[in-house]
Amino acid sequence: QVQLVESGGGLVEPGGSVRLSCTASTQSLDFLNMAWFRQAPGKEREGVACVAKRSGRTYVADAVKGRFTVTRDSAVNRLYLQIDDVRPEDAGTYVCAADRWSAMALEDLCHRPDLFEYWGPGTPVTVSS
């Protein structure tokens, strides 16, 4: 069983930056595919960034590429999502997820929330000046 807890959300001004963290209760993130999903009101859950198990290769969705950066610190079992140049459409709840088994290409897995077994409660990001 893996428990995930996100933190770092809050009120962010347009154009600002925010760093979200996801702490995992697990032996090592190296054995998990990790993902950040965004849930905005009235919209479907959207995969925005992922990190592959073992290799640590990263993927960022085209819609947010250039502004979102995902990193993994296996030493402290933490996943991060850096959001720069925040825009109003970035508002929503950001949820961390983990998957142990999938061998799917990361670019595809990141858009398949149904394949992730473990989920955090999420951290909200509000964009307002």
Side-chain angles (χ1 to χ4, degrees):
Q1 190 76 6
V2 178
Q3 293 183 323
L4 304 171
V5 179
E6 304 90 341
S7 61
L11 179 64
V12 188
E13 291 187 353
S17 296
V18 62
R19 189 175 81 154
L20 308 180
S21 299
C22 170
T23 301
S25 66
T26 182
Q27 282 191 316
S28 175
L29 288 185
D30 292 350
F31 300 112
L32 298 170
N33 294 309
M34 300 296 297
W36 284 103
F37 287 88
R38 176 169 68 189
Q39 181 77 64
K43 294 187 178 180
E44 290 189 359
R45 185 167 286 184
E46 173 188 20
V48 295
C50 282
V51 180
K53 61 185 176 183
R54 297 189 187 90
S55 71
R57 189 171 70 86
T58 63
Y59 164 81
V60 177
D62 289 344
V64 298
K65 193 169 291 181
R67 300 190 300 113
F68 285 33
T69 305
V70 61
T71 54
R72 180 183 76 184
D73 187 339
S74 297
V76 293
N77 282 349
R78 203 163 286 168
L79 183 74
Y80 300 101
L81 183 68
Q82 176 74 30
I83 306 175
D84 297 315
D85 187 23
V86 171
R87 301 173 182 174
E89 58 263 35
D90 294 329
T93 298
Y94 285 76
V95 187
C96 176
D99 155 61
R100 289 177 296 171
W101 307 112
S102 180
M104 183 179 289
L106 195 63
E107 294 78 2
D108 297 322
L109 178 64
C110 209
H111 299 285
R112 292 288 305 274
D114 58 302
L115 296 180
F116 287 82
E117 308 103 281
Y118 304 107
W119 293 84
T123 185
V125 172
T126 302
V127 182
S128 177
S129 54

